[in-house]
Amino acid sequence: MRQEHELTAHVARIIQASPENVSIFFKGRVALFATLKAIGIGSGDEVLMPAYTCVVVPNAVKYLGATPRYVDIDLSTFSARPAALLGAIGPRTKAVICQNTYGLSWGVDEVASRCRDLGVMTIEDCTHGFGGFYHGKPNGSWCDAAFYSSQWNKPFSTGLGGYAVTANVDLARKIATFAAALPGPSLKTRAMLWGLLKTRRFVTPQTYYALVTAYRYLSKRNLVTGSSSGEELDGTKMPDDYLLSMSRVQIRAGIKALKRVPELNALRKRNGVTYTDFLKSSGFNHVEPALHDDHLFLKYPLLVSDRKEFKDRAKKAGVPLGDWFLSPLHPIETDLSPWDFDIARYPRAAFAAVHVVNLPTDSQSIDPIISFLRKNGDLILPNDVKKEGNHA
Ligand SMILES: *Cc1c(COP(=O)(O)O)cnc(C)c1O
């Protein structure tokens, strides 16, 4: 209990929330599920979200019997346009998920305030945005509620982990009650997480590709606890071991990892600026700083003409590239109809999912990556691609 309080207090301090309004979970998706449930989402309700997200987001909606509805993104920010999100609100819309994609909020202030007038709840998917700011307020503080993740790739890591935060006292109490009733993960899962957290310190640019390949191989065969179970990727039925609390292995890892957040976020911010400056001055696609006040990139999104070739070259050069989002509902590369997703209706999200790679922002020196980009400019799309109609 004491360590749990230490963790929630530390999280609360960084996102400027009250510690009693922070609840912790086994994963971010469980925090989302708990929030949706506390809001009262159920059968017949619709929840809006960008058409460029992680499949676990519509899954949480489907598990409650509600319907996910998607809004295409804009390539300038990889987020849904505020006006498009607001325009998609219908009589059955009960909540809107604003996603902080790659660390970038876009118009979340406008969406949250308009929705408040309309009596529609807003939830910020802040899994990429922990510790960053938008228009002077911490990411996650604009909406009625927010959830965060500390999965491997997220701003701080506990292997797996999730946080629900809201300033709405009634909602916070409901979420906390739900969290307190959840069982913990099994001994096998906890042991596996402990082992993976110990292994993590061997991840360097030199070992990155080998370790990622090994982790994916083992998790696909259910030999280690991966981020998603097979059931979550095959359909929309809630797996048996989905609703779990955060274990002590994760709590301890969180307390440790949070110490590095200020330094790490300063680095991410600096590296983001360096990428933008280089890409912009070379005429390559980039994220326009004016669209994101005080932004902090968890990863830097870049559109390339031939992703496979680009990744092959990166691997040869030892440049650690990320590959989210492989699909508009990452990581599902097959039929998306179980999630009511018709890819033809979201051409910009479809385009991004085929052409995006992401650059790391947590390396102490990104000079080797910049020089890699310079050498491989033949595959980097020009900034024109972001203009309306130029992406097909
Ligand atoms: C990682 C992620 C989630 C889910 O977080 P978990 O902790 O893995 O459940 C949700 N939304 C987005 C956009 C993500 O990238």
Side-chain angles (χ1 to χ4, degrees), residues 18-39:
S18 302
E20 65 274 17
N21 292 345
V22 180
S23 288
I24 57 176
F25 297 87
F26 185 52
K27 295 180 185 176
R29 67 200 71 176
V30 188
L32 169 63
F33 178 91
T35 304
L36 292 166
K37 193 171 164 62
I39 288 174

PDB file of all heavy atoms in Angstrom, residues 18-39:
ATOM      1  N   SER A  18      -4.393  15.457  -8.370  1.00  0.00           N
ATOM      2  CA  SER A  18      -4.414  15.072  -6.953  1.00  0.00           C
ATOM      3  C   SER A  18      -4.178  13.576  -6.859  1.00  0.00           C
ATOM      4  O   SER A  18      -4.823  12.816  -7.582  1.00  0.00           O
ATOM      5  CB  SER A  18      -5.766  15.387  -6.325  1.00  0.00           C
ATOM      6  OG  SER A  18      -6.043  16.737  -6.454  1.00  0.00           O
ATOM      7  N   PRO A  19      -3.281  13.141  -5.960  1.00  0.00           N
ATOM      8  CA  PRO A  19      -2.951  11.706  -5.882  1.00  0.00           C
ATOM      9  C   PRO A  19      -4.183  10.833  -5.678  1.00  0.00           C
ATOM     10  O   PRO A  19      -4.247   9.723  -6.215  1.00  0.00           O
ATOM     11  CB  PRO A  19      -2.023  11.619  -4.664  1.00  0.00           C
ATOM     12  CG  PRO A  19      -1.574  12.998  -4.368  1.00  0.00           C
ATOM     13  CD  PRO A  19      -2.530  13.953  -4.985  1.00  0.00           C
ATOM     14  N   GLU A  20      -5.187  11.303  -4.925  1.00  0.00           N
ATOM     15  CA  GLU A  20      -6.367  10.450  -4.685  1.00  0.00           C
ATOM     16  C   GLU A  20      -7.203  10.283  -5.951  1.00  0.00           C
ATOM     17  O   GLU A  20      -8.103   9.451  -5.998  1.00  0.00           O
ATOM     18  CB  GLU A  20      -7.199  10.964  -3.499  1.00  0.00           C
ATOM     19  CG  GLU A  20      -7.848  12.318  -3.683  1.00  0.00           C
ATOM     20  CD  GLU A  20      -6.922  13.484  -3.310  1.00  0.00           C
ATOM     21  OE1 GLU A  20      -5.689  13.279  -3.220  1.00  0.00           O
ATOM     22  OE2 GLU A  20      -7.434  14.606  -3.133  1.00  0.00           O
ATOM     23  N   ASN A  21      -6.910  11.067  -6.984  1.00  0.00           N
ATOM     24  CA  ASN A  21      -7.643  10.929  -8.247  1.00  0.00           C
ATOM     25  C   ASN A  21      -6.925  10.045  -9.264  1.00  0.00           C
ATOM     26  O   ASN A  21      -7.317   9.965 -10.429  1.00  0.00           O
ATOM     27  CB  ASN A  21      -7.895  12.309  -8.871  1.00  0.00           C
ATOM     28  CG  ASN A  21      -8.866  13.125  -8.034  1.00  0.00           C
ATOM     29  OD1 ASN A  21      -9.544  12.580  -7.160  1.00  0.00           O
ATOM     30  ND2 ASN A  21      -8.922  14.421  -8.291  1.00  0.00           N
ATOM     31  N   VAL A  22      -5.823   9.421  -8.839  1.00  0.00           N
ATOM     32  CA  VAL A  22      -5.059   8.545  -9.728  1.00  0.00           C
ATOM     33  C   VAL A  22      -5.298   7.086  -9.315  1.00  0.00           C
ATOM     34  O   VAL A  22      -5.092   6.741  -8.153  1.00  0.00           O
ATOM     35  CB  VAL A  22      -3.538   8.845  -9.634  1.00  0.00           C
ATOM     36  CG1 VAL A  22      -2.742   7.929 -10.561  1.00  0.00           C
ATOM     37  CG2 VAL A  22      -3.254  10.306  -9.947  1.00  0.00           C
ATOM     38  N   SER A  23      -5.743   6.245 -10.248  1.00  0.00           N
ATOM     39  CA  SER A  23      -5.886   4.807  -9.969  1.00  0.00           C
ATOM     40  C   SER A  23      -4.960   4.032 -10.890  1.00  0.00           C
ATOM     41  O   SER A  23      -4.786   4.401 -12.057  1.00  0.00           O
ATOM     42  CB  SER A  23      -7.330   4.350 -10.220  1.00  0.00           C
ATOM     43  OG  SER A  23      -8.181   4.854  -9.218  1.00  0.00           O
ATOM     44  N   ILE A  24      -4.385   2.959 -10.359  1.00  0.00           N
ATOM     45  CA  ILE A  24      -3.416   2.211 -11.164  1.00  0.00           C
ATOM     46  C   ILE A  24      -3.958   0.836 -11.555  1.00  0.00           C
ATOM     47  O   ILE A  24      -4.763   0.250 -10.835  1.00  0.00           O
ATOM     48  CB  ILE A  24      -2.051   2.085 -10.446  1.00  0.00           C
ATOM     49  CG1 ILE A  24      -2.215   1.413  -9.075  1.00  0.00           C
ATOM     50  CG2 ILE A  24      -1.413   3.445 -10.302  1.00  0.00           C
ATOM     51  CD1 ILE A  24      -0.878   1.174  -8.366  1.00  0.00           C
ATOM     52  N   PHE A  25      -3.510   0.352 -12.706  1.00  0.00           N
ATOM     53  CA  PHE A  25      -4.017  -0.895 -13.290  1.00  0.00           C
ATOM     54  C   PHE A  25      -2.879  -1.693 -13.925  1.00  0.00           C
ATOM     55  O   PHE A  25      -1.791  -1.172 -14.137  1.00  0.00           O
ATOM     56  CB  PHE A  25      -5.064  -0.564 -14.370  1.00  0.00           C
ATOM     57  CG  PHE A  25      -6.281   0.133 -13.832  1.00  0.00           C
ATOM     58  CD1 PHE A  25      -6.314   1.517 -13.710  1.00  0.00           C
ATOM     59  CD2 PHE A  25      -7.393  -0.592 -13.414  1.00  0.00           C
ATOM     60  CE1 PHE A  25      -7.430   2.162 -13.191  1.00  0.00           C
ATOM     61  CE2 PHE A  25      -8.510   0.040 -12.902  1.00  0.00           C
ATOM     62  CZ  PHE A  25      -8.534   1.419 -12.790  1.00  0.00           C
ATOM     63  N   PHE A  26      -3.208  -2.925 -14.295  1.00  0.00           N
ATOM     64  CA  PHE A  26      -2.212  -3.793 -14.929  1.00  0.00           C
ATOM     65  C   PHE A  26      -1.705  -3.204 -16.252  1.00  0.00           C
ATOM     66  O   PHE A  26      -0.524  -3.286 -16.577  1.00  0.00           O
ATOM     67  CB  PHE A  26      -2.831  -5.179 -15.168  1.00  0.00           C
ATOM     68  CG  PHE A  26      -1.878  -6.198 -15.715  1.00  0.00           C
ATOM     69  CD1 PHE A  26      -0.666  -6.446 -15.102  1.00  0.00           C
ATOM     70  CD2 PHE A  26      -2.214  -6.931 -16.845  1.00  0.00           C
ATOM     71  CE1 PHE A  26       0.218  -7.399 -15.611  1.00  0.00           C
ATOM     72  CE2 PHE A  26      -1.345  -7.888 -17.359  1.00  0.00           C
ATOM     73  CZ  PHE A  26      -0.122  -8.118 -16.747  1.00  0.00           C
ATOM     74  N   LYS A  27      -2.638  -2.617 -17.039  1.00  0.00           N
ATOM     75  CA  LYS A  27      -2.272  -2.006 -18.316  1.00  0.00           C
ATOM     76  C   LYS A  27      -3.112  -0.737 -18.532  1.00  0.00           C
ATOM     77  O   LYS A  27      -4.160  -0.572 -17.891  1.00  0.00           O
ATOM     78  CB  LYS A  27      -2.572  -2.950 -19.492  1.00  0.00           C
ATOM     79  CG  LYS A  27      -1.751  -4.229 -19.520  1.00  0.00           C
ATOM     80  CD  LYS A  27      -2.138  -5.071 -20.732  1.00  0.00           C
ATOM     81  CE  LYS A  27      -1.400  -6.418 -20.706  1.00  0.00           C
ATOM     82  NZ  LYS A  27      -1.831  -7.298 -21.806  1.00  0.00           N
ATOM     83  N   GLY A  28      -2.685   0.090 -19.472  1.00  0.00           N
ATOM     84  CA  GLY A  28      -3.415   1.307 -19.803  1.00  0.00           C
ATOM     85  C   GLY A  28      -4.828   1.012 -20.284  1.00  0.00           C
ATOM     86  O   GLY A  28      -5.783   1.724 -19.964  1.00  0.00           O
ATOM     87  N   ARG A  29      -4.993  -0.049 -21.067  1.00  0.00           N
ATOM     88  CA  ARG A  29      -6.304  -0.393 -21.619  1.00  0.00           C
ATOM     89  C   ARG A  29      -7.310  -0.723 -20.500  1.00  0.00           C
ATOM     90  O   ARG A  29      -8.491  -0.479 -20.646  1.00  0.00           O
ATOM     91  CB  ARG A  29      -6.152  -1.568 -22.602  1.00  0.00           C
ATOM     92  CG  ARG A  29      -5.746  -2.865 -21.959  1.00  0.00           C
ATOM     93  CD  ARG A  29      -5.138  -3.840 -22.947  1.00  0.00           C
ATOM     94  NE  ARG A  29      -3.803  -3.396 -23.390  1.00  0.00           N
ATOM     95  CZ  ARG A  29      -3.015  -4.095 -24.185  1.00  0.00           C
ATOM     96  NH1 ARG A  29      -3.410  -5.258 -24.662  1.00  0.00           N
ATOM     97  NH2 ARG A  29      -1.818  -3.640 -24.533  1.00  0.00           N
ATOM     98  N   VAL A  30      -6.811  -1.272 -19.405  1.00  0.00           N
ATOM     99  CA  VAL A  30      -7.693  -1.597 -18.277  1.00  0.00           C
ATOM    100  C   VAL A  30      -8.132  -0.287 -17.600  1.00  0.00           C
ATOM    101  O   VAL A  30      -9.287  -0.151 -17.170  1.00  0.00           O
ATOM    102  CB  VAL A  30      -7.006  -2.548 -17.274  1.00  0.00           C
ATOM    103  CG1 VAL A  30      -8.004  -3.030 -16.226  1.00  0.00           C
ATOM    104  CG2 VAL A  30      -6.380  -3.735 -17.998  1.00  0.00           C
ATOM    105  N   ALA A  31      -7.222   0.681 -17.548  1.00  0.00           N
ATOM    106  CA  ALA A  31      -7.562   2.005 -17.015  1.00  0.00           C
ATOM    107  C   ALA A  31      -8.640   2.652 -17.890  1.00  0.00           C
ATOM    108  O   ALA A  31      -9.584   3.267 -17.388  1.00  0.00           O
ATOM    109  CB  ALA A  31      -6.313   2.886 -16.958  1.00  0.00           C
ATOM    110  N   LEU A  32      -8.518   2.491 -19.209  1.00  0.00           N
ATOM    111  CA  LEU A  32      -9.538   3.023 -20.127  1.00  0.00           C
ATOM    112  C   LEU A  32     -10.875   2.331 -19.897  1.00  0.00           C
ATOM    113  O   LEU A  32     -11.918   2.983 -19.794  1.00  0.00           O
ATOM    114  CB  LEU A  32      -9.089   2.844 -21.587  1.00  0.00           C
ATOM    115  CG  LEU A  32     -10.167   3.120 -22.646  1.00  0.00           C
ATOM    116  CD1 LEU A  32     -10.632   4.575 -22.608  1.00  0.00           C
ATOM    117  CD2 LEU A  32      -9.658   2.778 -24.052  1.00  0.00           C
ATOM    118  N   PHE A  33     -10.832   1.012 -19.807  1.00  0.00           N
ATOM    119  CA  PHE A  33     -12.065   0.241 -19.581  1.00  0.00           C
ATOM    120  C   PHE A  33     -12.755   0.720 -18.301  1.00  0.00           C
ATOM    121  O   PHE A  33     -13.960   0.971 -18.279  1.00  0.00           O
ATOM    122  CB  PHE A  33     -11.733  -1.254 -19.493  1.00  0.00           C
ATOM    123  CG  PHE A  33     -12.935  -2.122 -19.224  1.00  0.00           C
ATOM    124  CD1 PHE A  33     -13.679  -2.658 -20.272  1.00  0.00           C
ATOM    125  CD2 PHE A  33     -13.338  -2.393 -17.919  1.00  0.00           C
ATOM    126  CE1 PHE A  33     -14.790  -3.452 -20.022  1.00  0.00           C
ATOM    127  CE2 PHE A  33     -14.455  -3.182 -17.664  1.00  0.00           C
ATOM    128  CZ  PHE A  33     -15.178  -3.713 -18.718  1.00  0.00           C
ATOM    129  N   ALA A  34     -11.974   0.869 -17.228  1.00  0.00           N
ATOM    130  CA  ALA A  34     -12.536   1.293 -15.936  1.00  0.00           C
ATOM    131  C   ALA A  34     -13.159   2.683 -16.054  1.00  0.00           C
ATOM    132  O   ALA A  34     -14.215   2.956 -15.472  1.00  0.00           O
ATOM    133  CB  ALA A  34     -11.440   1.287 -14.873  1.00  0.00           C
ATOM    134  N   THR A  35     -12.511   3.552 -16.833  1.00  0.00           N
ATOM    135  CA  THR A  35     -13.031   4.917 -17.005  1.00  0.00           C
ATOM    136  C   THR A  35     -14.344   4.902 -17.788  1.00  0.00           C
ATOM    137  O   THR A  35     -15.316   5.553 -17.407  1.00  0.00           O
ATOM    138  CB  THR A  35     -11.974   5.789 -17.729  1.00  0.00           C
ATOM    139  OG1 THR A  35     -10.760   5.739 -16.976  1.00  0.00           O
ATOM    140  CG2 THR A  35     -12.435   7.225 -17.864  1.00  0.00           C
ATOM    141  N   LEU A  36     -14.367   4.151 -18.882  1.00  0.00           N
ATOM    142  CA  LEU A  36     -15.590   4.051 -19.693  1.00  0.00           C
ATOM    143  C   LEU A  36     -16.740   3.490 -18.863  1.00  0.00           C
ATOM    144  O   LEU A  36     -17.872   3.963 -18.928  1.00  0.00           O
ATOM    145  CB  LEU A  36     -15.343   3.154 -20.919  1.00  0.00           C
ATOM    146  CG  LEU A  36     -14.382   3.691 -21.983  1.00  0.00           C
ATOM    147  CD1 LEU A  36     -13.984   2.568 -22.950  1.00  0.00           C
ATOM    148  CD2 LEU A  36     -15.015   4.843 -22.761  1.00  0.00           C
ATOM    149  N   LYS A  37     -16.414   2.480 -18.060  1.00  0.00           N
ATOM    150  CA  LYS A  37     -17.437   1.854 -17.228  1.00  0.00           C
ATOM    151  C   LYS A  37     -17.953   2.838 -16.167  1.00  0.00           C
ATOM    152  O   LYS A  37     -19.159   2.940 -15.941  1.00  0.00           O
ATOM    153  CB  LYS A  37     -16.852   0.600 -16.558  1.00  0.00           C
ATOM    154  CG  LYS A  37     -17.899  -0.296 -15.934  1.00  0.00           C
ATOM    155  CD  LYS A  37     -17.262  -1.608 -15.495  1.00  0.00           C
ATOM    156  CE  LYS A  37     -18.160  -2.360 -14.540  1.00  0.00           C
ATOM    157  NZ  LYS A  37     -19.441  -2.737 -15.133  1.00  0.00           N
ATOM    158  N   ALA A  38     -17.041   3.583 -15.572  1.00  0.00           N
ATOM    159  CA  ALA A  38     -17.434   4.554 -14.544  1.00  0.00           C
ATOM    160  C   ALA A  38     -18.311   5.658 -15.132  1.00  0.00           C
ATOM    161  O   ALA A  38     -19.211   6.168 -14.480  1.00  0.00           O
ATOM    162  CB  ALA A  38     -16.189   5.147 -13.885  1.00  0.00           C
ATOM    163  N   ILE A  39     -18.057   5.997 -16.400  1.00  0.00           N
ATOM    164  CA  ILE A  39     -18.875   7.009 -17.075  1.00  0.00           C
ATOM    165  C   ILE A  39     -20.276   6.455 -17.354  1.00  0.00           C
ATOM    166  O   ILE A  39     -21.234   7.203 -17.494  1.00  0.00           O
ATOM    167  CB  ILE A  39     -18.182   7.450 -18.397  1.00  0.00           C
ATOM    168  CG1 ILE A  39     -16.957   8.312 -18.077  1.00  0.00           C
ATOM    169  CG2 ILE A  39     -19.129   8.179 -19.321  1.00  0.00           C
ATOM    170  CD1 ILE A  39     -16.128   8.669 -19.297  1.00  0.00           C
TER     171      ILE A  39
END
